[in-house]
Amino acid sequence: MTSNPANPNNPINPNNPINPINPINPINPINPINPSASRTSSTSSTPSTLQPLRIAIAGLGAIGKSIARTLAAGGVPGGVLASVSAKNLDRAREFVSTLPVTAAVLPISELEPSADLVVECAPGALLPQIVGPFLRAKKQAVVLSVGALLSNPDLIDQAREQGGTLLVPTGALIGLDAVIAAAEGTIHSVTMVTRKPPNGLAGAPYLVDNQIEVDGLTEPKCIFKGTAREAARGFPANVNVVAALSLAGIGPDRTTMEIWADPTVTRNVHSIEVDSDSARFRMTMENIPSDNPKTGRIVAQSVVALLRKMNANFRVGT
């Protein structure tokens, strides 16, 4: 990945240090396809004369199903559920049949023509297959497997070069707006500590490779210390939050992380500490797990908030 000579603390966007999240359109980071769009308020909806934003969902786990239900119920003014994809298409059809709207059930390879935007809710290994066709078509992709972006930096380059857009929602972490703002100056350090119930970490590649047992713990155990890049590689389904944090700030090799398997907590607890030339701040968030203990319930809500914000004519937050 290229460096940013204008702002070395921001590894994401070497061409536009003002807006690290959307290198395609620095004026409007929320809706790069139509920067003048004014579909709805962020807190109230109004009828729109624009064509609805057709949304595809790739992956129907706990997060994907939650987002699909919200879209089907009209929870995103100006957006419609156009299509879904999942590993088991028969089960996907059964799920779609329970919704009050009709959506196409398609293989991943056939999603792009059906939608303007895809929400990726699948295993990180599938990220290039899911978002690549949308980027090549100059469309948008919401990425939840943020850790997979660290091992596929060419996707960021592809978005920049071909005119598509990658959108990373805040997800399960507090404070990304503050980190993005701090990155306009100089960030000295970013540290994150995650505590999860042991069953939310079981089976992670790092634990398997290092023969670390978390079953039966009676007290907290630190199971990992290292960089954000190493954490994303070792815990691909557990700590996408640190990947997002690193991309918002000083990069995956300077952002440090600790992971604790903690039988005394019932929520996924993320604490971050940032020291910069503009502010020093510490923040902690305790997320209620979703039906999948590896991820928080708020992740789906964060995606819905992002989708609503794309169609809003009043937006709060960086």
Side-chain angles (χ1 to χ4, degrees):
M1 187 178 298
T2 53
S3 62
N4 182 352
N7 182 359
N9 291 316
N10 185 343
I12 297 305
N13 183 2
N15 297 322
N16 176 19
I18 296 176
N19 185 344
I21 300 303
N22 181 7
I24 306 303
N25 178 8
I27 303 299
N28 185 339
I30 303 302
N31 187 352
I33 300 300
N34 183 3
S36 63
S38 179
R39 287 193 178 103
T40 66
S41 166
S42 62
T43 56
S44 62
S45 59
T46 56
S48 171
T49 58
L50 299 175
Q51 290 296 317
L53 181 69
R54 300 173 302 155
I55 300 170
I57 297 177
L60 288 176
I63 295 175
K65 286 181 177 178
S66 177
I67 297 168
R69 291 189 186 103
T70 299
L71 286 169
V76 178
V80 297
L81 179 63
S83 56
V84 302
S85 185
K87 181 177 180 180
N88 189 317
L89 294 181
D90 289 334
R91 290 184 182 178
R93 292 186 187 95
E94 291 178 10
F95 170 73
V96 168
S97 70
T98 68
L99 302 176
V101 299
T102 300
V105 179
L106 303 169
I108 287 174
S109 60
E110 298 178 16
L111 276 181
E112 182 273 314
S114 72
D116 307 305
L117 175 150
V118 63
V119 181
E120 175 273 317
C121 308
L126 297 177
L127 183 64
Q129 295 173 239
I130 294 169
V131 308
F134 281 81
L135 297 180
R136 288 191 290 272
K138 296 180 171 55
K139 295 181 179 180
Q140 303 172 93
V142 176
V143 175
L144 295 187
S145 298
V146 190
L149 281 177
L150 302 186
S151 54
N152 293 277
D154 55 299
L155 292 175
I156 299 173
D157 295 332
Q158 187 176 337
R160 184 181 299 117
E161 293 165 3
Q162 298 184 353
T165 302
L166 294 169
L167 301 168
V168 176
T170 299
L173 188 64
I174 193 172
L176 282 191
D177 276 13
V179 177
I180 291 169
E184 295 302 315
T186 300
I187 296 179
H188 306 303
S189 63
V190 179
T191 302
M192 179 173 178
V193 178
T194 286
R195 295 177 179 269
K196 288 193 173 189
N199 68 332
L201 294 162
Y206 183 86
L207 299 186
V208 174
D209 293 344
N210 292 278
Q211 299 181 336
I212 299 173
E213 294 290 338
V214 295
D215 293 338
L217 288 179
T218 58
E219 59 184 25
K221 179 178 181 178
C222 182
I223 57 173
F224 174 84
K225 287 185 179 181
T227 67
R229 187 184 301 280
E230 294 165 340
R233 186 183 305 121
F235 300 84
N238 308 93
V239 291
N240 283 298
V241 286
V242 76
L245 176 65
S246 72
L247 292 175
I250 56 177
D253 298 312
R254 292 180 58 203
T255 302
T256 59
M257 183 174 201
E258 291 184 10
I259 302 175
W260 290 72
D262 190 343
T264 69
V265 300
T266 58
R267 301 186 177 193
N268 300 329
V269 183
H270 304 297
S271 301
I272 67 172
E273 182 171 345
V274 178
D275 184 26
S276 74
D277 64 352
S278 60
R280 179 183 297 127
F281 48 94
R282 301 179 181 89
M283 293 175 282
T284 297
M285 190 168 187
E286 299 183 10
N287 296 313
I288 299 173
S290 67
D291 293 339
N292 178 353
K294 292 180 173 64
T295 190
R297 186 182 302 176
I298 201 170
V299 174
Q301 295 173 213
S302 175
V303 173
V304 170
L306 172 63
L307 295 174
R308 288 177 59 86
K309 197 173 184 181
M310 292 175 67
N311 296 333
N313 52 21
F314 174 64
R315 303 165 186 172
V316 178
T318 300

